[in-house]
Amino acid sequence: MASAAEEDVKLDRFLHWLQINGVQLRRCSIKRCGSSKGYGVFSSPSVGDESNSDGVLMVVPLDLAITPMRVLQDGMLGPRCAEMFKEGDVDDRFLVILFLTVERLRRNSPWKSYIDMLPRTFTSPLWFSEDELSELKGTSLYKATILQMRSGFCRRRSFRLFLMTRLKVWFRRFCMMTVDLKVGKAFSLKTFSGLEVSTTWEVDESGCVSGVPLSMYLVSVAPNFSTTEIQKLGDMEKEICISYGNKGNEELLYLYGFILQNNPDDYLMVHYPLDALQNAPFSDVKAQLLEMQKADLRCLLPRNLLGHGFTAGEDSKKLEEKVSVNYSGYSWSGQRKAPSYSCKLIFPEDFLASLRTISLQEHEISKVSALLNELTDSDEERQPSSDDVKAAVWEAAGDLGAFQLLVDLLYHRLMELEESSGTEESDLRLLERLSQSEDFEDPSCSGLEQHYKKMNMNAWSSIIYRRGQKFLAARFLKEAEYLLEMCSKDAS
């Protein structure tokens, strides 16, 4: 690990590189964020002169942007990549990653000062130690990581260098200035007072805004803020943070190496194993029906669905009159009535349609076949549509088998998560014990996330992620069990 003095020298070289390449840091500065956080861009306090009233924080010449076009025009890489890019064999991101990989290996690269600033270590599971990775056992992320790490190609030095560069692009540390400059790209200025200011990159071809033709500039906007609040923000130093979008912890940890506690965009992935379908009774017929429906044997269950179900509490009662699923068109005979639970059915209909098909009994398959034959007998040129097949399956079987299968899948998912690391409550107790240890050194944040534990941050992130998965599995299981009970009552 480089010493503080070495890091300061590296930063000075980078700032000099920015200066000689025409970058203007007008109302921002670049500095270290801490021993484990690398470097950051911070807005500087307003100095009160009129030249700063336009909100422009930074100006970067377009010549300094690493774009796919720059790569295609490169004397060495361009000719080799142009044909692959034309045929669609590589995409924009691949070209940028390849460019940075080559420049890192090039001894006298003009990008050296910039590349030296990019991180050399990562917190993505692909870089976890064996002990750290064990904290993910039972999760979908563990399986995906193991599959990737078992690849022989993954262990080759050339691939690991390419992977390292890919993660740099994903993490976008400083890449927002030279790699991923996109018009309208959202950032935020986070402050300790709770206020947030939106910032975006804009192109200034004529130079009428920034005063620099053919440039991009980073500008801050403070909509709906009072004059007092704007003045308050102007007097504070604020870190400029990239917005990663609405992503669950599974995606955040795998791609970017961090998690959010109580992430509102978390989700649980549930799937029906293909090998189980192949071993099911009448598997060939069911596989054909699933294909006709263009069915998917997996689905993502976002956390926010839980607020609309039967087990959500008082708030969900307000949705009862507003939310409705129309089942009337599913019954050709008129004998199968719309279920009593349709107003709050939170599980995706397409996935339930797949489960209905998988759970079909022999006599129900015969009924589905008869119903579909009615369509083709009346119109020989007509082929059953996806909706026709779904309607026939619903008419023949209803939801009872599908809900039982859903309960089984969610129960197995929860047991799989708990097998190696215990319950959600045990994870919470572990986190509470860790938060009370004396080895915490980050007073700038609040809550459990502020602490640096005696165990490293990779394991800490894994515990937060797996606990969230257990939470979702248990809550969705409770909802599915309630629906199964209601469906059983309707059928009796």
Side-chain angles (χ1 to χ4, degrees):
M1 181 179 296
S3 66
E6 291 173 329
E7 294 294 337
D8 290 341
V9 170
K10 187 167 62 174
L11 177 57
D12 288 342
R13 289 173 178 168
F14 177 61
L15 292 175
H16 179 67
W17 181 83
L18 292 177
Q19 184 179 15
I20 64 176
N21 280 282
V23 176
Q24 299 179 12
L25 305 180
R26 294 187 177 176
R27 293 180 57 190
C28 69
S29 60
I30 300 172
K31 61 183 184 179
R32 294 174 63 197
C33 299
S35 59
S36 61
K37 294 185 177 180
Y39 302 87
V41 181
F42 293 79
S43 67
S44 301
S46 173
V47 297
D49 62 276
E50 295 182 358
S51 63
N52 284 336
S53 62
D54 56 9
V56 175
L57 304 173
M58 181 191 307
V59 182
V60 179
L62 288 178
D63 287 345
L64 208 58
I66 302 176
T67 64
M69 186 56 65
R70 171 185 284 277
V71 181
L72 294 175
Q73 292 174 348
D74 183 83
M76 182 176 67
L77 292 178
R80 303 184 184 186
C81 293
E83 189 63 29
M84 292 189 295
F85 185 73
K86 181 179 179 181
E87 296 296 327
D89 296 330
V90 298
D91 59 11
D92 291 3
R93 188 179 295 271
F94 180 92
L95 292 177
V96 172
I97 293 170
L98 182 62
F99 180 86
L100 287 174
T101 302
V102 172
E103 289 300 322
R104 185 187 170 192
L105 295 172
R106 192 175 286 174
R107 178 172 299 179
N108 297 316
S109 170
W111 297 90
K112 177 175 171 48
S113 296
Y114 164 71
I115 293 174
D116 285 347
M117 292 292 290
L118 298 176
R120 298 300 175 99
T121 60
F122 303 94
T123 50
S124 164
L126 288 173
W127 299 83
F128 278 14
S129 69
E130 189 172 329
D131 287 342
E132 293 165 353
L133 193 59
S134 68
E135 298 293 344
L136 292 174
K137 283 185 177 179
T139 68
S140 301
L141 186 51
Y142 178 80
K143 298 175 183 177
T145 304
I146 290 297
L147 286 175
Q148 184 83 308
M149 294 178 73
R150 283 177 178 171
S151 168
F153 182 58
C154 182
R155 291 191 290 269
R156 296 177 186 172
R157 182 180 182 276
S158 60
F159 177 80
R160 291 182 67 83
L161 178 60
F162 183 86
L163 176 63
M164 183 182 295
T165 310
R166 181 182 68 169
L167 288 171
K168 290 175 182 178
V169 174
W170 272 342
F171 285 172
R172 293 173 181 166
R173 297 178 184 175
F174 287 102
C175 294
M176 66 179 189
M177 291 186 291
T178 54
V179 176
D180 199 24
L181 296 180
K182 296 181 180 179
V183 178
K185 186 66 183 179
F187 297 82
S188 65
L189 302 181
K190 295 195 174 180
T191 75
F192 296 115
S193 64
L195 299 176
E196 289 193 7
V197 181
S198 174
T199 66
T200 60
W201 283 104
E202 301 292 346
V203 171
D204 189 7
E205 293 188 6
S206 64
C208 61
V209 176
S210 66
V212 181
L214 298 177
S215 68
M216 294 187 76
Y217 59 92
L218 186 64
V219 61
S220 64
V221 183
N224 303 321
F225 281 5
S226 66
T227 303
T228 302
E229 289 174 326
I230 293 176
Q231 179 62 43
K232 190 179 194 179
L233 288 170
D235 295 336
M236 300 173 63
E237 185 178 64
K238 303 164 285 289
E239 184 177 2
I240 303 175
C241 304
I242 191 170
S243 170
Y244 288 87
N246 302 327
K247 292 180 172 60
N249 279 341
E250 190 163 284
E251 191 173 2
L252 289 176
L253 185 55
Y254 186 73
L255 293 180
Y256 308 112
F258 71 92
I259 50 87
L260 299 176
Q261 191 169 335
N262 298 318
N263 188 342
D265 298 306
D266 238 348
Y267 57 80
L268 179 75
M269 186 176 75
V270 181
H271 75 281
Y272 186 86
L274 185 59
D275 56 350
L277 175 62
Q278 294 170 344
N279 295 325
F282 310 102
S283 59
D284 291 344
V285 177
K286 293 177 181 180
Q288 184 178 5
L289 291 173
L290 289 169
E291 184 178 353
M292 294 172 72
Q293 297 174 70
K294 300 179 177 63
D296 195 345
L297 298 183
R298 67 180 61 200
C299 75
L300 297 180
L301 299 176
R303 178 175 182 153
N304 59 20
L305 289 178
L306 293 170
H308 306 309
F310 286 97
T311 60
E314 294 296 323
D315 292 341
S316 65
K317 293 182 179 180
K318 300 176 183 179
L319 298 169
E320 191 162 349
E321 296 180 358
K322 299 179 181 180
V323 182
S324 177
V325 178
N326 183 10
Y327 278 84
S328 60
Y330 276 55
S331 182
W332 290 330
S333 66
Q335 295 178 355
R336 188 175 292 282
K337 299 179 181 179
S340 61
Y341 47 80
S342 62
C343 61
K344 292 185 183 178
L345 187 60
I346 65 173
F347 294 99
E349 169 57 29
D350 286 344
F351 188 62
L352 288 178
S354 298
L355 298 185
R356 292 188 196 112
T357 304
I358 294 169
S359 63
L360 286 172
Q361 303 298 311
E362 183 176 5
H363 69 282
E364 294 168 340
I365 292 177
S366 298
K367 187 171 182 179
V368 171
S369 179
L371 291 170
L372 295 177
N373 284 336
E374 288 182 14
L375 293 176
T376 55
D377 288 345
S378 60
D379 186 354
E380 294 182 357
E381 295 184 358
R382 178 178 179 180
Q383 295 296 320
S385 66
S386 173
D387 288 339
D388 291 333
V389 178
K390 290 179 182 178
V393 172
W394 159 254
E395 176 80 9
D399 280 332
L400 191 60
F403 285 157
Q404 182 61 66
L405 190 52
L406 180 61
V407 167
D408 292 343
L409 289 174
L410 288 168
Y411 177 79
H412 180 268
R413 190 78 191 86
L414 181 59
M415 293 300 101
E416 190 177 34
L417 286 164
E418 293 181 350
E419 182 179 1
S420 298
S421 55
T423 64
E424 175 194 346
E425 289 73 22
S426 65
D427 283 342
L428 179 59
R429 288 193 297 269
L430 174 59
L431 292 171
E432 288 174 344
R433 287 198 303 271
L434 293 171
S435 69
Q436 294 168 3
S437 71
E438 297 179 356
D439 195 22
F440 299 92
E441 303 175 355
D442 188 5
S444 63
C445 303
S446 61
L448 291 176
E449 290 174 302
Q450 75 175 4
H451 302 304
Y452 283 90
K453 294 126 301 282
K454 289 181 178 177
M455 66 188 311
N456 64 40
M457 292 301 294
N458 291 345
W460 172 260
S461 298
S462 299
I463 296 172
I464 296 287
Y465 159 63
R466 80 186 186 207
R467 181 191 168 223
Q469 292 291 287
K470 293 171 188 177
F471 169 88
L472 294 177
R475 301 315 184 274
F476 279 116
L477 174 59
K478 184 178 180 181
E479 185 74 18
E481 289 174 335
Y482 191 88
L483 287 170
L484 177 59
E485 181 182 353
M486 293 189 68
C487 187
S488 298
K489 290 179 180 178
D490 286 353
S492 60

